[in-house]
Amino acid sequence: MKKIITLIAGLAIIFSCNDKNAESNEVAVTEGESNYEVASERYSVLNEQALENMAALDFESWGKMLADDVEYYFPDGDADTRTILSGKEEVVKWWKDW
């Protein structure tokens, strides 16, 4: 049974990775089209404001922009060992103490 499942999974991977996708990507790039969508202007404005608040070390204003259940992942380890801050209060407190 495991051999059959492995064979089916392998075939699914092989057939999903065909050259047709590569060709369509090349055409999209050469014609100026893309598979990506640009975020709305509202997102750009919010992002710029968040960066301005962080640059000014205005963590209170920056924190007001965060969701209550935000999770902040630090690049100080792998998925099992990195530092993770959970919740708006904890994230803002960490940055204020920094």
Side-chain angles (χ1 to χ4, degrees):
M1 185 67 172
K2 287 183 182 180
K3 290 181 181 181
I4 293 173
I5 292 173
T6 304
L7 177 64
I8 293 171
L11 290 173
I13 291 170
I14 290 170
F15 287 115
S16 67
C17 300
N18 59 28
D19 290 337
K20 185 177 180 182
N21 287 337
E23 290 172 11
S24 66
N25 286 340
E26 289 175 15
V27 171
V29 172
T30 58
E31 294 178 3
E33 297 176 7
S34 175
N35 292 334
Y36 299 101
E37 292 183 29
V38 177
S40 71
E41 189 171 330
R42 175 78 174 130
Y43 177 81
S44 297
V45 171
L46 288 172
N47 190 37
E48 185 176 352
Q49 185 62 51
L51 290 172
E52 287 175 2
N53 290 339
M54 286 294 284
L57 304 179
D58 185 357
F59 302 120
E60 283 296 324
S61 296
W62 175 73
K64 291 177 184 175
M65 301 179 79
L66 299 175
D68 291 334
D69 62 348
V70 65
E71 288 192 346
Y72 200 95
Y73 295 82
F74 287 87
D76 60 352
D78 62 20
D80 296 323
T81 62
R82 71 176 49 122
T83 303
I84 302 172
L85 304 177
S86 297
K88 182 190 299 192
E89 187 176 312
E90 186 177 355
V91 172
V92 172
K93 180 185 178 317
W94 188 93
W95 279 103
K96 283 181 175 181
D97 291 343
W98 174 77

